[in-house]
Amino acid sequence: MIHARCRSAGADCRRCGCGSKRVHSRYRRSLADAPVAGQRVVIRLEVRRFFCDNDECSARTFAERPAVTVPHGRRTSLLTGMLAVIAVALAGRAGSRLGRRLGMATGKDTLLRLLRALADPEVGQVSVLGVDDFALRRGHVYATVLVDMATHRPIDLLGDRESDTFADWLRAHPGIEVICRDRAGAYAEGARLGAPQATQVADRWHLWHNLAGHVERTVLAHRCCLRELAHPDLGDQAAGHELTEEALDPGSSPDDGGGELIAPVQELTIVTRTHERYEAVSRLRETGESISAISRILGLDRRTVRRFVRATGLAELQAKTLQRASLVDGFADYLHRRWTEGATDAAALTKEITTLGYRGSEQTVRRYLRPLRDGRPVPPARPASPTVREVTGWMLRHPDNLKPDEQIRFKQVLAHCPQLEAAATHTASFAEMMCQRRGERLEEWIYAVEADELPELHRFTTGIRRDHAAVLAGLTQAHNSGPVEGTVNKIKMLKRQMFGRANFDLLRKRVLLAT
């Protein structure tokens, strides 16, 4: 407990500014102060009330105002500043727990009030602006973060990602010369409306990410070449995962001698569902229904319906399902050999492959062995074909970063499929153009891609032509959205810290004041 009073002989009136030394009365205030050596400190402050000697002033008396606090305050300015710093760093409950451990007992609601009372930092003059969206509720509600690319500091958060909201903000903050953004059309439209004088720059990472998606779909369209490379005698069949037409026909036999019949294999639930949805979407599409109408009729998400509509066939939709990686894949040869030897107990086989390094569950092994119990013949041990994801990764990585065995397999894939070789060549050319910022080669690269039979890459070039100016600037200038992506990552950390229960205004305060 500290007893204190002001040392000055008089004070100035808050209304007229005239000084006075005539004391009217005294009273005491209790102020919580910053702790000393971990101990709580309370200041018992003696405050004097003076007569105002100015006859023209409306105030008869006034109280002196010590510099250690504010009117009606219950804490010193030092303690208030310390609690505000804790509130910015940890917000409510976590900040309250830390305050108690440091000798500054306070409640979570008090910290939140202090945080909301802090003034927003000044935006200032921004010449290069970065913009991106982030999820308030993933898949449902999104917001926008704006970053000053010169200082890498977030300067504002918008409650949605609509073009009109972004355009209004740009009109209220003139002087922006460059806008770094992703490929989203809303931000492109908002920048065009709100800051037509600014140069829009498409982020190189997003360009590469978009190209990677089209490259993966290109490889997916030529997955037959991958299977033929490892299993040339199986043609278009997936080794060990599909049956021939004779095996699916109950009236046929495995050989001309009339051997034992093979029971039909039960189709996976996800394969059946995909087939049914594809047929339903195709029928509605043929009748002229829009994607939104099909979504309402079938109760599917619009993105799911769009994926079914754009698919070249059912095989494209089922390819990832049939080629889905499993923890058992690396032990398939061992399981096939043991099955041929008569070991059919899934639990025992699980224990055996666990000693060899298997990290999955027994249920996964049972699921893998189920088709063999239904009568499917045990496939011989064969070299595994490269998956779509592996080949896509080989195309997108630098050749020097590939292992020797990966380089050999990649060369085999390219030698077997001319279309994939062309796609790999175009991907490497785009990577070189992007890394060296040689945007003048863009038009030449687009013509080279459109000269080949690569529909997925044609879609990529079509998107580039719609946003040609921003893409050309992104491949030429040094600006990129890296600081914006870093800010979005910090926002995710703050959201996890607040358990997603805070309102947007509180999240905005913490993001703007965290730096």
Side-chain angles (χ1 to χ4, degrees):
M1 187 75 67
I2 298 176
H3 298 268
R5 61 180 178 85
C6 293
R7 299 178 60 183
S8 61
D12 295 334
C13 178
R14 297 195 303 271
R15 297 188 181 181
C16 64
C18 294
S20 176
K21 294 182 179 180
R22 292 199 302 141
V23 178
H24 173 271
S25 59
R26 291 178 174 84
Y27 64 93
R28 293 188 178 277
R29 294 178 58 183
S30 295
L31 301 176
D33 194 18
V36 175
Q39 297 296 319
R40 183 182 174 214
V41 175
V42 177
I43 298 179
R44 296 299 302 274
L45 182 63
E46 182 182 283
V47 181
R48 294 169 295 179
R49 180 171 290 275
F50 293 89
F51 288 101
C52 183
D53 295 330
N54 187 0
D55 297 336
E56 298 178 357
C57 181
S58 59
R60 293 293 184 90
T61 63
F62 64 90
E64 61 183 345
R65 183 178 297 178
V68 296
T69 186
V70 296
H72 310 291
R74 303 302 299 272
R75 293 178 296 272
T76 62
S77 300
L78 176 61
L79 179 59
T80 301
M82 296 173 65
L83 292 178
V85 172
I86 293 177
V88 171
L90 299 176
R93 285 187 175 87
S96 177
R97 290 195 295 267
L98 177 62
R100 286 195 297 269
R101 293 295 298 270
L102 297 178
M104 297 178 287
T106 186
K108 60 181 180 62
D109 294 331
T110 300
L111 291 177
L112 296 184
R113 284 195 298 270
L114 288 175
L115 180 58
R116 285 190 167 99
L118 295 176
D120 293 343
E122 293 291 335
V123 174
Q125 183 62 38
V126 180
S127 59
V128 182
L129 177 70
V131 56
D132 201 0
D133 62 349
F134 65 94
L136 293 176
R137 183 185 174 198
R138 187 173 179 85
H140 297 274
V141 183
Y142 286 84
T144 300
V145 59
L146 305 175
V147 178
D148 185 354
M149 304 300 286
T151 60
H152 298 180
R153 179 178 64 88
I155 56 178
D156 207 348
L157 266 68
L158 307 180
D160 55 42
R161 53 178 178 179
E162 302 296 329
S163 59
D164 293 338
T165 305
F166 183 43
D168 293 340
W169 190 94
L170 292 175
R171 295 189 189 100
H173 301 82
I176 295 176
E177 301 174 359
V178 179
I179 298 177
C180 299
R181 59 171 177 81
D182 58 12
R183 303 294 305 285
Y187 295 138
E189 180 67 13
R192 185 185 65 83
L193 296 175
Q197 79 286 349
T199 301
Q200 299 187 38
V201 178
D203 181 52
R204 289 187 290 275
W205 183 89
H206 288 92
L207 285 172
W208 184 250
H209 181 68
N210 294 341
L211 176 61
H214 291 282
V215 169
E216 182 179 9
R217 286 188 286 272
T218 299
V219 178
L220 185 62
H222 294 274
R223 62 196 175 279
C224 302
C225 301
L226 305 182
R227 290 198 294 263
E228 292 173 0
L229 182 64
H231 314 288
D233 56 325
L234 293 181
D236 193 41
Q237 298 180 15
H241 292 278
E242 296 182 6
L243 290 176
T244 61
E245 296 181 359
E246 292 79 5
L248 292 174
D249 185 4
S252 61
S253 57
D255 51 46
D256 296 336
E260 182 181 358
L261 296 180
I262 299 176
V265 179
Q266 183 180 3
E267 191 176 51
L268 294 176
T269 304
I270 188 174
V271 175
T272 304
R273 185 176 66 235
T274 303
H275 185 266
E276 294 174 350
R277 288 180 174 178
Y278 179 74
E279 290 184 346
V281 170
S282 300
R283 286 195 301 268
L284 293 174
R285 192 63 173 174
E286 291 174 357
T287 60
E289 298 288 349
S290 64
I291 293 179
S292 298
I294 297 175
S295 175
R296 290 192 299 269
I297 295 172
L298 300 180
L300 300 175
D301 189 85
R302 293 181 70 256
R303 290 171 293 184
T304 302
V305 177
R306 187 184 300 113
R307 181 168 59 88
F308 276 78
V309 170
R310 292 180 177 178
T312 57
L314 181 62
E316 177 182 339
L317 298 171
Q318 294 181 347
K320 288 187 177 181
T321 300
L322 297 176
Q323 290 193 356
R324 184 172 297 172
S326 173
L327 293 175
V328 186
D329 292 343
F331 308 91
D333 294 342
Y334 181 84
L335 293 176
H336 295 166
R337 179 172 60 82
R338 293 288 292 135
W339 184 274
T340 305
E341 295 173 357
T344 60
D345 187 356
L349 292 175
T350 302
K351 294 181 180 180
E352 293 180 13
I353 62 177
T354 299
T355 60
L356 301 177
Y358 173 66
R359 295 180 293 104
S361 63
E362 179 183 329
Q363 184 61 30
T364 303
V365 178
R366 292 185 181 276
R367 190 181 302 112
Y368 184 84
L369 297 177
R370 188 174 299 127
L372 304 182
R373 301 185 190 278
D374 294 337
R376 177 186 295 185
V378 179
R382 300 176 182 270
S385 60
T387 64
V388 172
R389 179 162 294 185
E390 286 178 337
V391 177
T392 303
W394 296 339
M395 287 188 181
L396 298 176
R397 288 158 59 189
H398 195 281
D400 296 341
N401 295 332
L402 297 179
K403 299 178 181 179
D405 59 328
E406 293 177 336
Q407 295 180 358
I408 295 175
R409 297 178 68 190
F410 188 35
K411 291 180 180 178
Q412 294 175 348
V413 170
L414 300 185
H416 185 72
C417 183
Q419 289 81 6
L420 292 183
E421 183 180 11
T425 302
H426 295 316
T427 303
S429 300
F430 189 88
E432 181 181 0
M433 175 176 57
M434 181 183 65
C435 294
Q436 298 179 2
R437 297 206 297 273
R438 303 295 298 272
E440 66 274 7
R441 301 179 182 176
L442 179 60
E443 200 65 29
E444 178 184 354
W445 183 84
I446 292 176
Y447 286 132
V449 171
E450 293 178 346
D452 291 329
E453 295 293 334
L454 299 170
E456 281 298 332
L457 293 186
H458 292 176
R459 296 179 183 176
F460 178 67
T461 57
T462 301
I464 288 181
R465 291 191 182 278
R466 287 197 301 264
D467 200 18
H468 188 274
V471 173
L472 182 61
L475 296 176
T476 306
Q477 300 187 18
H479 301 294
N480 66 84
S481 297
V484 186
E485 297 297 335
T487 302
V488 172
N489 191 48
K490 293 178 182 177
I491 293 175
K492 294 178 180 179
M493 183 272 293
L494 293 177
K495 285 177 53 185
R496 288 192 295 269
Q497 192 181 72
M498 296 154 61
F499 304 103
R501 297 172 181 165
N503 293 333
F504 175 73
D505 67 317
L506 182 60
L507 177 63
R508 179 177 178 275
K509 284 286 187 181
R510 294 198 65 193
V511 172
L512 298 182
L513 298 172
T515 55

